[in-house]
Amino acid sequence: MVSVKKQKKALESTNARLALVMKSGKYCLGYKQTLKTLRQGKAKLVLIANNTPSLRKSEIEYYAMLAKTEVQHYSGSNIELGTACGKYFRVCMMSITDPGDSDIIRSLTDA
């Protein structure tokens, strides 16, 4: 079991990297856009909020497996993921096509 302090620190680290992606990289927010980037093979990383419906989550994971794309489960809800992206709306999932200056893909796959 991971302590609450470590979990919070990891979330803040992910949020900081996500903010850098939003500034300097390319991304798509939402289910339909994420599905589109996975089908085209452009997505490098997919982030899924923890309160995404399980059927939708498993469908995205299946498409990601076919596209050989990394899937990361964001430890916050869709409201928190939207806030981390700097948006004022809920985001259940997002795909990162170009990380820009951020090392989010390398850091999340190592963890």
PDB file of all heavy atoms in Angstrom, residues 37-69:
ATOM      1  N   THR A  37      -7.467   9.252 -32.431  1.00  0.00           N
ATOM      2  CA  THR A  37      -5.996   9.248 -32.491  1.00  0.00           C
ATOM      3  C   THR A  37      -5.449   7.827 -32.346  1.00  0.00           C
ATOM      4  O   THR A  37      -4.428   7.497 -32.948  1.00  0.00           O
ATOM      5  CB  THR A  37      -5.370  10.147 -31.407  1.00  0.00           C
ATOM      6  OG1 THR A  37      -5.817   9.736 -30.132  1.00  0.00           O
ATOM      7  CG2 THR A  37      -5.683  11.602 -31.650  1.00  0.00           C
ATOM      8  N   LEU A  38      -6.126   6.995 -31.559  1.00  0.00           N
ATOM      9  CA  LEU A  38      -5.687   5.602 -31.422  1.00  0.00           C
ATOM     10  C   LEU A  38      -5.871   4.840 -32.738  1.00  0.00           C
ATOM     11  O   LEU A  38      -5.005   4.062 -33.133  1.00  0.00           O
ATOM     12  CB  LEU A  38      -6.463   4.902 -30.301  1.00  0.00           C
ATOM     13  CG  LEU A  38      -5.981   5.161 -28.887  1.00  0.00           C
ATOM     14  CD1 LEU A  38      -6.962   4.587 -27.879  1.00  0.00           C
ATOM     15  CD2 LEU A  38      -4.609   4.587 -28.664  1.00  0.00           C
ATOM     16  N   ARG A  39      -6.984   5.059 -33.403  1.00  0.00           N
ATOM     17  CA  ARG A  39      -7.237   4.394 -34.688  1.00  0.00           C
ATOM     18  C   ARG A  39      -6.228   4.816 -35.740  1.00  0.00           C
ATOM     19  O   ARG A  39      -5.810   4.024 -36.568  1.00  0.00           O
ATOM     20  CB  ARG A  39      -8.648   4.701 -35.184  1.00  0.00           C
ATOM     21  CG  ARG A  39      -9.711   3.914 -34.490  1.00  0.00           C
ATOM     22  CD  ARG A  39     -10.992   3.939 -35.300  1.00  0.00           C
ATOM     23  NE  ARG A  39     -12.122   3.619 -34.449  1.00  0.00           N
ATOM     24  CZ  ARG A  39     -13.127   4.439 -34.172  1.00  0.00           C
ATOM     25  NH1 ARG A  39     -13.147   5.659 -34.685  1.00  0.00           N
ATOM     26  NH2 ARG A  39     -14.117   4.064 -33.412  1.00  0.00           N
ATOM     27  N   GLN A  40      -5.858   6.091 -35.721  1.00  0.00           N
ATOM     28  CA  GLN A  40      -4.889   6.600 -36.698  1.00  0.00           C
ATOM     29  C   GLN A  40      -3.460   6.223 -36.331  1.00  0.00           C
ATOM     30  O   GLN A  40      -2.556   6.372 -37.145  1.00  0.00           O
ATOM     31  CB  GLN A  40      -4.999   8.129 -36.791  1.00  0.00           C
ATOM     32  CG  GLN A  40      -6.303   8.597 -37.390  1.00  0.00           C
ATOM     33  CD  GLN A  40      -6.507  10.093 -37.223  1.00  0.00           C
ATOM     34  OE1 GLN A  40      -5.784  10.763 -36.495  1.00  0.00           O
ATOM     35  NE2 GLN A  40      -7.517  10.623 -37.896  1.00  0.00           N
ATOM     36  N   GLY A  41      -3.244   5.778 -35.088  1.00  0.00           N
ATOM     37  CA  GLY A  41      -1.915   5.389 -34.644  1.00  0.00           C
ATOM     38  C   GLY A  41      -1.040   6.568 -34.257  1.00  0.00           C
ATOM     39  O   GLY A  41       0.180   6.449 -34.209  1.00  0.00           O
ATOM     40  N   LYS A  42      -1.648   7.715 -33.969  1.00  0.00           N
ATOM     41  CA  LYS A  42      -0.885   8.922 -33.624  1.00  0.00           C
ATOM     42  C   LYS A  42      -0.619   9.050 -32.133  1.00  0.00           C
ATOM     43  O   LYS A  42       0.328   9.721 -31.731  1.00  0.00           O
ATOM     44  CB  LYS A  42      -1.643  10.170 -34.094  1.00  0.00           C
ATOM     45  CG  LYS A  42      -1.705  10.312 -35.596  1.00  0.00           C
ATOM     46  CD  LYS A  42      -2.458  11.561 -35.987  1.00  0.00           C
ATOM     47  CE  LYS A  42      -2.508  11.731 -37.488  1.00  0.00           C
ATOM     48  NZ  LYS A  42      -3.287  12.910 -37.874  1.00  0.00           N
ATOM     49  N   ALA A  43      -1.448   8.427 -31.302  1.00  0.00           N
ATOM     50  CA  ALA A  43      -1.334   8.591 -29.849  1.00  0.00           C
ATOM     51  C   ALA A  43      -0.079   7.906 -29.320  1.00  0.00           C
ATOM     52  O   ALA A  43       0.252   6.796 -29.709  1.00  0.00           O
ATOM     53  CB  ALA A  43      -2.571   8.015 -29.167  1.00  0.00           C
ATOM     54  N   LYS A  44       0.624   8.609 -28.436  1.00  0.00           N
ATOM     55  CA  LYS A  44       1.820   8.048 -27.790  1.00  0.00           C
ATOM     56  C   LYS A  44       1.506   7.607 -26.359  1.00  0.00           C
ATOM     57  O   LYS A  44       2.099   6.675 -25.849  1.00  0.00           O
ATOM     58  CB  LYS A  44       2.929   9.095 -27.750  1.00  0.00           C
ATOM     59  CG  LYS A  44       3.313   9.644 -29.104  1.00  0.00           C
ATOM     60  CD  LYS A  44       4.761   9.373 -29.402  1.00  0.00           C
ATOM     61  CE  LYS A  44       5.281   9.980 -30.684  1.00  0.00           C
ATOM     62  NZ  LYS A  44       4.368  10.415 -31.679  1.00  0.00           N
ATOM     63  N   LEU A  45       0.562   8.300 -25.725  1.00  0.00           N
ATOM     64  CA  LEU A  45       0.168   7.984 -24.359  1.00  0.00           C
ATOM     65  C   LEU A  45      -1.303   8.339 -24.179  1.00  0.00           C
ATOM     66  O   LEU A  45      -1.767   9.360 -24.695  1.00  0.00           O
ATOM     67  CB  LEU A  45       1.015   8.796 -23.368  1.00  0.00           C
ATOM     68  CG  LEU A  45       0.671   8.668 -21.895  1.00  0.00           C
ATOM     69  CD1 LEU A  45       1.099   7.320 -21.345  1.00  0.00           C
ATOM     70  CD2 LEU A  45       1.337   9.766 -21.086  1.00  0.00           C
ATOM     71  N   VAL A  46      -2.027   7.488 -23.455  1.00  0.00           N
ATOM     72  CA  VAL A  46      -3.432   7.755 -23.155  1.00  0.00           C
ATOM     73  C   VAL A  46      -3.588   7.824 -21.643  1.00  0.00           C
ATOM     74  O   VAL A  46      -3.140   6.931 -20.928  1.00  0.00           O
ATOM     75  CB  VAL A  46      -4.350   6.648 -23.730  1.00  0.00           C
ATOM     76  CG1 VAL A  46      -5.793   6.886 -23.333  1.00  0.00           C
ATOM     77  CG2 VAL A  46      -4.239   6.582 -25.237  1.00  0.00           C
ATOM     78  N   LEU A  47      -4.187   8.908 -21.158  1.00  0.00           N
ATOM     79  CA  LEU A  47      -4.477   9.069 -19.736  1.00  0.00           C
ATOM     80  C   LEU A  47      -5.974   8.892 -19.516  1.00  0.00           C
ATOM     81  O   LEU A  47      -6.781   9.531 -20.206  1.00  0.00           O
ATOM     82  CB  LEU A  47      -4.072  10.462 -19.254  1.00  0.00           C
ATOM     83  CG  LEU A  47      -2.604  10.679 -18.938  1.00  0.00           C
ATOM     84  CD1 LEU A  47      -2.340  12.151 -18.729  1.00  0.00           C
ATOM     85  CD2 LEU A  47      -2.195   9.905 -17.727  1.00  0.00           C
ATOM     86  N   ILE A  48      -6.345   8.030 -18.570  1.00  0.00           N
ATOM     87  CA  ILE A  48      -7.752   7.760 -18.287  1.00  0.00           C
ATOM     88  C   ILE A  48      -8.027   8.099 -16.823  1.00  0.00           C
ATOM     89  O   ILE A  48      -7.301   7.646 -15.935  1.00  0.00           O
ATOM     90  CB  ILE A  48      -8.095   6.276 -18.545  1.00  0.00           C
ATOM     91  CG1 ILE A  48      -7.767   5.895 -19.983  1.00  0.00           C
ATOM     92  CG2 ILE A  48      -9.558   6.011 -18.260  1.00  0.00           C
ATOM     93  CD1 ILE A  48      -7.984   4.435 -20.305  1.00  0.00           C
ATOM     94  N   ALA A  49      -9.082   8.873 -16.566  1.00  0.00           N
ATOM     95  CA  ALA A  49      -9.462   9.232 -15.192  1.00  0.00           C
ATOM     96  C   ALA A  49      -9.985   7.991 -14.468  1.00  0.00           C
ATOM     97  O   ALA A  49     -10.485   7.060 -15.101  1.00  0.00           O
ATOM     98  CB  ALA A  49     -10.522  10.326 -15.205  1.00  0.00           C
ATOM     99  N   ASN A  50      -9.897   8.006 -13.134  1.00  0.00           N
ATOM    100  CA  ASN A  50     -10.266   6.801 -12.392  1.00  0.00           C
ATOM    101  C   ASN A  50     -11.768   6.554 -12.301  1.00  0.00           C
ATOM    102  O   ASN A  50     -12.187   5.464 -11.965  1.00  0.00           O
ATOM    103  CB  ASN A  50      -9.641   6.808 -10.988  1.00  0.00           C
ATOM    104  CG  ASN A  50     -10.204   7.879 -10.094  1.00  0.00           C
ATOM    105  OD1 ASN A  50     -11.069   8.657 -10.476  1.00  0.00           O
ATOM    106  ND2 ASN A  50      -9.700   7.940  -8.885  1.00  0.00           N
ATOM    107  N   ASN A  51     -12.601   7.541 -12.599  1.00  0.00           N
ATOM    108  CA  ASN A  51     -14.046   7.314 -12.543  1.00  0.00           C
ATOM    109  C   ASN A  51     -14.678   7.181 -13.932  1.00  0.00           C
ATOM    110  O   ASN A  51     -15.870   7.372 -14.097  1.00  0.00           O
ATOM    111  CB  ASN A  51     -14.736   8.416 -11.732  1.00  0.00           C
ATOM    112  CG  ASN A  51     -14.606   9.777 -12.362  1.00  0.00           C
ATOM    113  OD1 ASN A  51     -13.740   9.993 -13.200  1.00  0.00           O
ATOM    114  ND2 ASN A  51     -15.439  10.696 -11.954  1.00  0.00           N
ATOM    115  N   THR A  52     -13.863   6.813 -14.913  1.00  0.00           N
ATOM    116  CA  THR A  52     -14.380   6.534 -16.254  1.00  0.00           C
ATOM    117  C   THR A  52     -15.145   5.212 -16.206  1.00  0.00           C
ATOM    118  O   THR A  52     -14.687   4.274 -15.557  1.00  0.00           O
ATOM    119  CB  THR A  52     -13.212   6.428 -17.258  1.00  0.00           C
ATOM    120  OG1 THR A  52     -12.438   7.621 -17.183  1.00  0.00           O
ATOM    121  CG2 THR A  52     -13.700   6.241 -18.676  1.00  0.00           C
ATOM    122  N   PRO A  53     -16.298   5.111 -16.880  1.00  0.00           N
ATOM    123  CA  PRO A  53     -17.046   3.846 -16.883  1.00  0.00           C
ATOM    124  C   PRO A  53     -16.182   2.688 -17.380  1.00  0.00           C
ATOM    125  O   PRO A  53     -15.389   2.850 -18.314  1.00  0.00           O
ATOM    126  CB  PRO A  53     -18.196   4.124 -17.851  1.00  0.00           C
ATOM    127  CG  PRO A  53     -18.346   5.598 -17.862  1.00  0.00           C
ATOM    128  CD  PRO A  53     -16.986   6.166 -17.612  1.00  0.00           C
ATOM    129  N   SER A  54     -16.343   1.528 -16.755  1.00  0.00           N
ATOM    130  CA  SER A  54     -15.457   0.392 -17.024  1.00  0.00           C
ATOM    131  C   SER A  54     -15.537  -0.100 -18.469  1.00  0.00           C
ATOM    132  O   SER A  54     -14.526  -0.526 -19.030  1.00  0.00           O
ATOM    133  CB  SER A  54     -15.740  -0.743 -16.053  1.00  0.00           C
ATOM    134  OG  SER A  54     -17.090  -1.128 -16.140  1.00  0.00           O
ATOM    135  N   LEU A  55     -16.704  -0.057 -19.079  1.00  0.00           N
ATOM    136  CA  LEU A  55     -16.838  -0.498 -20.472  1.00  0.00           C
ATOM    137  C   LEU A  55     -16.040   0.405 -21.406  1.00  0.00           C
ATOM    138  O   LEU A  55     -15.306  -0.066 -22.287  1.00  0.00           O
ATOM    139  CB  LEU A  55     -18.308  -0.503 -20.888  1.00  0.00           C
ATOM    140  CG  LEU A  55     -18.605  -0.990 -22.301  1.00  0.00           C
ATOM    141  CD1 LEU A  55     -18.241  -2.463 -22.418  1.00  0.00           C
ATOM    142  CD2 LEU A  55     -20.045  -0.776 -22.661  1.00  0.00           C
ATOM    143  N   ARG A  56     -16.140   1.695 -21.179  1.00  0.00           N
ATOM    144  CA  ARG A  56     -15.399   2.685 -21.977  1.00  0.00           C
ATOM    145  C   ARG A  56     -13.894   2.532 -21.753  1.00  0.00           C
ATOM    146  O   ARG A  56     -13.102   2.599 -22.685  1.00  0.00           O
ATOM    147  CB  ARG A  56     -15.866   4.077 -21.579  1.00  0.00           C
ATOM    148  CG  ARG A  56     -15.341   5.174 -22.450  1.00  0.00           C
ATOM    149  CD  ARG A  56     -16.025   6.467 -22.134  1.00  0.00           C
ATOM    150  NE  ARG A  56     -17.298   6.541 -22.824  1.00  0.00           N
ATOM    151  CZ  ARG A  56     -17.987   7.662 -23.006  1.00  0.00           C
ATOM    152  NH1 ARG A  56     -17.543   8.785 -22.520  1.00  0.00           N
ATOM    153  NH2 ARG A  56     -19.126   7.655 -23.648  1.00  0.00           N
ATOM    154  N   LYS A  57     -13.519   2.307 -20.491  1.00  0.00           N
ATOM    155  CA  LYS A  57     -12.114   2.133 -20.126  1.00  0.00           C
ATOM    156  C   LYS A  57     -11.529   0.902 -20.820  1.00  0.00           C
ATOM    157  O   LYS A  57     -10.441   0.966 -21.408  1.00  0.00           O
ATOM    158  CB  LYS A  57     -12.012   1.966 -18.605  1.00  0.00           C
ATOM    159  CG  LYS A  57     -10.652   2.238 -18.038  1.00  0.00           C
ATOM    160  CD  LYS A  57     -10.615   2.026 -16.543  1.00  0.00           C
ATOM    161  CE  LYS A  57     -11.365   3.082 -15.771  1.00  0.00           C
ATOM    162  NZ  LYS A  57     -11.163   2.998 -14.323  1.00  0.00           N
ATOM    163  N   SER A  58     -12.252  -0.203 -20.789  1.00  0.00           N
ATOM    164  CA  SER A  58     -11.750  -1.439 -21.399  1.00  0.00           C
ATOM    165  C   SER A  58     -11.691  -1.329 -22.919  1.00  0.00           C
ATOM    166  O   SER A  58     -10.789  -1.893 -23.551  1.00  0.00           O
ATOM    167  CB  SER A  58     -12.596  -2.641 -20.978  1.00  0.00           C
ATOM    168  OG  SER A  58     -13.924  -2.477 -21.408  1.00  0.00           O
ATOM    169  N   GLU A  59     -12.620  -0.583 -23.507  1.00  0.00           N
ATOM    170  CA  GLU A  59     -12.593  -0.377 -24.958  1.00  0.00           C
ATOM    171  C   GLU A  59     -11.353   0.407 -25.382  1.00  0.00           C
ATOM    172  O   GLU A  59     -10.658   0.037 -26.341  1.00  0.00           O
ATOM    173  CB  GLU A  59     -13.863   0.372 -25.398  1.00  0.00           C
ATOM    174  CG  GLU A  59     -13.967   0.519 -26.899  1.00  0.00           C
ATOM    175  CD  GLU A  59     -15.185   1.315 -27.329  1.00  0.00           C
ATOM    176  OE1 GLU A  59     -15.944   1.791 -26.460  1.00  0.00           O
ATOM    177  OE2 GLU A  59     -15.375   1.462 -28.545  1.00  0.00           O
ATOM    178  N   ILE A  60     -11.046   1.466 -24.645  1.00  0.00           N
ATOM    179  CA  ILE A  60      -9.856   2.272 -24.943  1.00  0.00           C
ATOM    180  C   ILE A  60      -8.589   1.445 -24.730  1.00  0.00           C
ATOM    181  O   ILE A  60      -7.650   1.515 -25.525  1.00  0.00           O
ATOM    182  CB  ILE A  60      -9.842   3.555 -24.078  1.00  0.00           C
ATOM    183  CG1 ILE A  60     -10.918   4.527 -24.553  1.00  0.00           C
ATOM    184  CG2 ILE A  60      -8.481   4.233 -24.105  1.00  0.00           C
ATOM    185  CD1 ILE A  60     -10.706   5.119 -25.926  1.00  0.00           C
ATOM    186  N   GLU A  61      -8.552   0.655 -23.658  1.00  0.00           N
ATOM    187  CA  GLU A  61      -7.395  -0.199 -23.399  1.00  0.00           C
ATOM    188  C   GLU A  61      -7.187  -1.212 -24.530  1.00  0.00           C
ATOM    189  O   GLU A  61      -6.061  -1.505 -24.909  1.00  0.00           O
ATOM    190  CB  GLU A  61      -7.549  -0.926 -22.060  1.00  0.00           C
ATOM    191  CG  GLU A  61      -7.342  -0.027 -20.873  1.00  0.00           C
ATOM    192  CD  GLU A  61      -7.746  -0.670 -19.564  1.00  0.00           C
ATOM    193  OE1 GLU A  61      -8.392  -1.737 -19.571  1.00  0.00           O
ATOM    194  OE2 GLU A  61      -7.418  -0.082 -18.515  1.00  0.00           O
ATOM    195  N   TYR A  62      -8.288  -1.734 -25.078  1.00  0.00           N
ATOM    196  CA  TYR A  62      -8.204  -2.689 -26.187  1.00  0.00           C
ATOM    197  C   TYR A  62      -7.637  -2.019 -27.441  1.00  0.00           C
ATOM    198  O   TYR A  62      -6.728  -2.542 -28.084  1.00  0.00           O
ATOM    199  CB  TYR A  62      -9.585  -3.279 -26.464  1.00  0.00           C
ATOM    200  CG  TYR A  62      -9.600  -4.224 -27.639  1.00  0.00           C
ATOM    201  CD1 TYR A  62      -8.982  -5.472 -27.557  1.00  0.00           C
ATOM    202  CD2 TYR A  62     -10.222  -3.877 -28.837  1.00  0.00           C
ATOM    203  CE1 TYR A  62      -8.987  -6.342 -28.626  1.00  0.00           C
ATOM    204  CE2 TYR A  62     -10.228  -4.740 -29.912  1.00  0.00           C
ATOM    205  CZ  TYR A  62      -9.608  -5.968 -29.796  1.00  0.00           C
ATOM    206  OH  TYR A  62      -9.606  -6.821 -30.863  1.00  0.00           O
ATOM    207  N   TYR A  63      -8.159  -0.840 -27.774  1.00  0.00           N
ATOM    208  CA  TYR A  63      -7.647  -0.095 -28.925  1.00  0.00           C
ATOM    209  C   TYR A  63      -6.174   0.274 -28.734  1.00  0.00           C
ATOM    210  O   TYR A  63      -5.385   0.221 -29.674  1.00  0.00           O
ATOM    211  CB  TYR A  63      -8.461   1.183 -29.156  1.00  0.00           C
ATOM    212  CG  TYR A  63      -9.680   0.980 -30.016  1.00  0.00           C
ATOM    213  CD1 TYR A  63     -10.947   0.844 -29.463  1.00  0.00           C
ATOM    214  CD2 TYR A  63      -9.572   0.926 -31.405  1.00  0.00           C
ATOM    215  CE1 TYR A  63     -12.063   0.651 -30.252  1.00  0.00           C
ATOM    216  CE2 TYR A  63     -10.679   0.744 -32.200  1.00  0.00           C
ATOM    217  CZ  TYR A  63     -11.927   0.599 -31.614  1.00  0.00           C
ATOM    218  OH  TYR A  63     -13.022   0.408 -32.415  1.00  0.00           O
ATOM    219  N   ALA A  64      -5.801   0.642 -27.505  1.00  0.00           N
ATOM    220  CA  ALA A  64      -4.413   1.002 -27.215  1.00  0.00           C
ATOM    221  C   ALA A  64      -3.498  -0.208 -27.359  1.00  0.00           C
ATOM    222  O   ALA A  64      -2.373  -0.091 -27.838  1.00  0.00           O
ATOM    223  CB  ALA A  64      -4.315   1.583 -25.815  1.00  0.00           C
ATOM    224  N   MET A  65      -3.983  -1.366 -26.954  1.00  0.00           N
ATOM    225  CA  MET A  65      -3.202  -2.593 -27.093  1.00  0.00           C
ATOM    226  C   MET A  65      -2.963  -2.899 -28.570  1.00  0.00           C
ATOM    227  O   MET A  65      -1.853  -3.267 -28.966  1.00  0.00           O
ATOM    228  CB  MET A  65      -3.944  -3.748 -26.402  1.00  0.00           C
ATOM    229  CG  MET A  65      -3.202  -5.063 -26.389  1.00  0.00           C
ATOM    230  SD  MET A  65      -3.723  -6.257 -27.631  1.00  0.00           S
ATOM    231  CE  MET A  65      -5.479  -6.307 -27.506  1.00  0.00           C
ATOM    232  N   LEU A  66      -3.979  -2.705 -29.391  1.00  0.00           N
ATOM    233  CA  LEU A  66      -3.828  -2.932 -30.832  1.00  0.00           C
ATOM    234  C   LEU A  66      -2.863  -1.925 -31.457  1.00  0.00           C
ATOM    235  O   LEU A  66      -2.094  -2.264 -32.356  1.00  0.00           O
ATOM    236  CB  LEU A  66      -5.192  -2.844 -31.535  1.00  0.00           C
ATOM    237  CG  LEU A  66      -6.184  -3.957 -31.234  1.00  0.00           C
ATOM    238  CD1 LEU A  66      -7.506  -3.678 -31.926  1.00  0.00           C
ATOM    239  CD2 LEU A  66      -5.651  -5.313 -31.651  1.00  0.00           C
ATOM    240  N   ALA A  67      -2.912  -0.689 -30.959  1.00  0.00           N
ATOM    241  CA  ALA A  67      -2.062   0.372 -31.499  1.00  0.00           C
ATOM    242  C   ALA A  67      -0.679   0.407 -30.835  1.00  0.00           C
ATOM    243  O   ALA A  67       0.140   1.247 -31.181  1.00  0.00           O
ATOM    244  CB  ALA A  67      -2.742   1.723 -31.318  1.00  0.00           C
ATOM    245  N   LYS A  68      -0.446  -0.496 -29.869  1.00  0.00           N
ATOM    246  CA  LYS A  68       0.817  -0.544 -29.117  1.00  0.00           C
ATOM    247  C   LYS A  68       1.118   0.811 -28.454  1.00  0.00           C
ATOM    248  O   LYS A  68       2.214   1.344 -28.554  1.00  0.00           O
ATOM    249  CB  LYS A  68       1.975  -0.976 -30.004  1.00  0.00           C
ATOM    250  CG  LYS A  68       1.837  -2.395 -30.516  1.00  0.00           C
ATOM    251  CD  LYS A  68       3.007  -2.782 -31.394  1.00  0.00           C
ATOM    252  CE  LYS A  68       2.907  -4.193 -31.879  1.00  0.00           C
ATOM    253  NZ  LYS A  68       1.854  -4.430 -32.851  1.00  0.00           N
ATOM    254  N   THR A  69       0.101   1.347 -27.801  1.00  0.00           N
ATOM    255  CA  THR A  69       0.198   2.641 -27.120  1.00  0.00           C
ATOM    256  C   THR A  69       0.109   2.425 -25.616  1.00  0.00           C
ATOM    257  O   THR A  69      -0.645   1.568 -25.153  1.00  0.00           O
ATOM    258  CB  THR A  69      -0.956   3.565 -27.577  1.00  0.00           C
ATOM    259  OG1 THR A  69      -0.904   3.681 -28.986  1.00  0.00           O
ATOM    260  CG2 THR A  69      -0.841   4.936 -26.963  1.00  0.00           C
TER     261      THR A  69
END
